[in-house]
Amino acid sequence: MTIYSSQRPVTAEEAYQDMCERITSLQLKPGQKISENQMGEDYGVSRSVIRTVFTRLSQRRLVEIYPQRGTYISKIDLDFISDLLLLRTAIEKEILYEIFETMDQSQREGLMNQLRDNLERQKKYSQSSGYEVDFKYLDSEFHRILIDSVQRHNLMDLMAEHMIHIARWRNFDVTFAHRVPELIQEHEAIYQAILDNRGGRAMRAMSAHLETISKIADQARAEYPEYFV
């Protein structure tokens, strides 16, 4: 049975995008062996199409291709993720700096209204143990509101190619440590610091929110050694 139910053929781009999602969401697990035959059956396409998809995934460090041995979903490289999170933290702290330095009172009030509305919707998930799709959207939206408020879309676009690795770690991190209630509290801390006009506190809250590896790395490696480099 193919993943796609439509009668039209699946394109290489559709298969590629769907595999990215399956890897990010951990449906395809780190270290898992995959084959051209199986993926071809899943998507109803030829091995040559899947071979092209695997090459693209390899270029993004999402799969490892070993001649004569097979293709494997890349394990999570926590050192690499740590570097990416450091870059993202620097960008979001710069965004906070610009919020405090460039926005007038009216603009700040509009920003706070958007963040408050987002947080109210987040609170509906305060008892969630998993990282539900709707909450993922709200989590991303909270940061997008901040980014959009100072029109710094290009800064995040610079990281777009690698954000998928952060997203995969986020899916693992939040589910493994049941962190949805904690994420909401962290967002609230950022919001409150901005509301109180405390720039330094807002930046510290953002750093604490984004630096997730040191909190659970040892336990995660101990319980899921097969997932990590």
Side-chain angles (χ1 to χ4, degrees):
M1 180 182 295
T2 64
I3 289 175
Y4 293 90
S5 59
S6 65
Q7 297 302 307
R8 65 175 179 80
V10 172
T11 67
E13 180 63 24
E14 287 172 329
Y16 168 73
Q17 293 295 340
D18 191 71
M19 282 200 68
C20 285
E21 172 58 27
R22 292 170 73 188
I23 292 170
T24 306
S25 65
L26 303 176
Q27 293 176 46
L28 293 173
K29 302 183 186 306
Q32 178 180 339
K33 187 175 183 179
I34 56 176
S35 71
E36 292 175 0
N37 287 338
Q38 182 59 56
M39 292 298 112
E41 290 181 14
D42 283 353
Y43 295 105
V45 298
S46 68
R47 289 182 60 186
S48 64
V49 170
I50 295 300
R51 196 172 299 122
T52 299
V53 170
F54 281 7
T55 298
R56 292 181 66 186
L57 292 171
S58 176
Q59 290 168 348
R60 293 188 75 180
R61 300 177 60 167
L62 294 173
V63 303
E64 301 285 345
I65 301 173
Y66 299 101
Q68 312 306 319
R69 289 175 50 196
T71 300
Y72 297 79
I73 304 300
S74 296
K75 295 186 178 184
I76 298 173
D77 183 342
L78 291 182
D79 290 335
F80 180 54
I81 300 297
S82 180
D83 289 341
L84 292 177
L85 288 174
L86 182 64
L87 288 173
R88 180 175 174 181
T89 300
I91 290 171
E92 299 220 25
K93 287 172 75 173
E94 172 61 24
I95 287 164
L96 288 171
Y97 175 81
E98 293 190 14
I99 287 171
F100 282 97
E101 292 296 317
T102 67
M103 294 180 72
D104 61 29
Q105 182 176 351
S106 175
Q107 292 171 321
R108 185 86 66 86
E109 287 176 357
L111 170 62
M112 301 316 292
N113 287 338
Q114 291 183 70
L115 293 176
R116 187 181 305 111
D117 174 71
N118 174 275
L119 283 168
E120 288 302 316
R121 286 181 285 140
Q122 286 188 40
K123 289 176 183 176
K124 297 176 183 178
Y125 299 89
S126 60
Q127 302 302 315
S128 296
S129 57
Y131 198 25
E132 298 180 28
V133 172
D134 289 344
F135 182 79
K136 287 182 192 179
Y137 173 81
L138 292 172
D139 185 6
S140 296
E141 183 186 61
F142 181 89
H143 294 271
R144 189 166 60 250
I145 290 168
L146 293 171
I147 294 163
D148 289 349
S149 72
V150 291
Q151 300 181 350
R152 283 297 189 179
H153 328 282
N154 290 336
L155 281 176
M156 293 307 294
D157 287 346
L158 291 172
M159 288 194 63
E161 183 68 14
H162 296 303
M163 283 296 291
I164 193 167
H165 295 280
I166 293 178
R168 181 164 71 148
W169 166 249
R170 192 71 151 180
N171 278 312
F172 176 85
D173 162 46
V174 175
T175 303
F176 175 75
H178 307 294
R179 285 209 325 115
V180 168
E182 185 179 347
L183 290 184
I184 296 172
Q185 292 173 3
E186 291 169 354
H187 287 151
E188 287 180 327
I190 296 166
Y191 165 83
Q192 192 63 48
I194 299 172
L195 184 65
D196 293 342
N197 202 32
R198 301 288 297 275
R201 192 171 74 189
M203 292 183 190
R204 289 191 295 274
M206 182 65 77
S207 293
H209 174 57
L210 294 176
E211 201 297 289
T212 56
I213 290 179
S214 63
K215 300 174 184 177
I216 67 166
D218 290 344
Q219 184 182 359
R221 282 194 175 106
E223 294 191 28
Y224 291 90
E226 69 278 15
Y227 278 15
F228 300 98
V229 174

